[in-house]
Amino acid sequence: MTPLETRLEERLTELAGSVPDPELPMITLAELGVVRGVRVLGPGSVEVELTPTYTGCPAVETMTADIEKVLHDHGMPEVSVRRVLSPAWSTDDITDEGRRKLAESGIAPPRAGAGQGPVPLTLAVRCPHCGSTDTELLSRFSSTACKALRRCVTCREPFDHFKEL
């Protein structure tokens, strides 16, 4: 690989990673940690490796189309997006910036390091509105399968919690 290809791949990785997540538009695919790599295959041809948050994630098709569009719009005529299932995505792949943006948007981010062992049955989930850890589970599923619906006992506000994987 030449230095030119490396710089091009870095730029294409930035572009692919800048795409907003279709279900969590406050964070990018890079912040979510699902863009695993970009490889120049030849002149005008690139392959992007994308790992879904879970195998049946319905947003993968939209992510793929959005990545293809942004790279086409920046002069790459041939773009293929390949799904990579191993290693599996984990909530540990979400960047600190992504976690910050989730919290600012009223979604309790997953705990860092949760993917390194069993998830405790009783989680202390911090309310993104008031900061209290006195919260209760309302539903194991929220607007998407990767989020649970919780309510803060202190301020009584409902909020989504991005589940640890």
Side-chain angles (χ1 to χ4, degrees):
M1 180 178 317
T2 69
L4 182 60
E5 286 175 325
T6 303
R7 284 195 304 273
L8 178 58
E9 287 171 345
E10 287 174 9
R11 177 65 182 137
L12 295 172
T13 300
E14 288 173 14
L15 289 167
S18 72
V19 170
D21 179 83
E23 293 178 332
L24 302 163
M26 75 288 297
I27 64 174
T28 66
L29 298 183
E31 293 163 342
L32 186 59
V34 296
V35 175
R36 294 294 171 100
V38 174
R39 240 176 6 141
V40 173
L41 302 176
S45 178
V46 66
E47 177 183 74
V48 178
E49 293 180 340
L50 179 70
T51 298
T53 55
Y54 66 98
T55 306
C57 179
V60 170
E61 295 303 322
T62 302
M63 289 178 194
T64 298
D66 291 349
I67 289 170
E68 289 172 348
K69 181 178 182 340
V70 77
L71 296 183
H72 287 309
D73 289 351
H74 284 85
M76 190 55 59
E78 189 178 321
V79 178
S80 65
V81 178
R82 184 170 62 90
R83 291 182 196 162
V84 177
L85 302 179
S86 180
W89 179 86
S90 160
T91 50
D92 288 341
D93 295 328
I94 300 174
T95 66
D96 290 341
E97 180 68 6
R99 290 171 195 282
R100 184 189 66 73
K101 287 180 178 180
L102 286 171
E104 282 182 357
S105 299
I107 299 172
R111 295 170 305 130
Q116 298 173 7
V119 175
L121 293 177
T122 55
L123 294 174
V125 177
R126 187 169 303 282
C127 173
H129 304 292
C130 74
S132 172
T133 56
D134 190 7
T135 63
E136 60 188 356
L137 180 67
L138 296 178
S139 175
R140 289 182 44 205
F141 298 98
S142 183
S143 58
T144 62
C146 57
K147 293 183 289 193
L149 181 61
R150 299 188 72 90
R151 178 176 47 220
C152 179
V153 175
T154 304
C155 72
R156 306 299 296 163
E157 287 293 321
F159 64 93
D160 282 336
H161 170 232
F162 202 111
K163 296 185 273 189
E164 286 86 4
L165 291 175

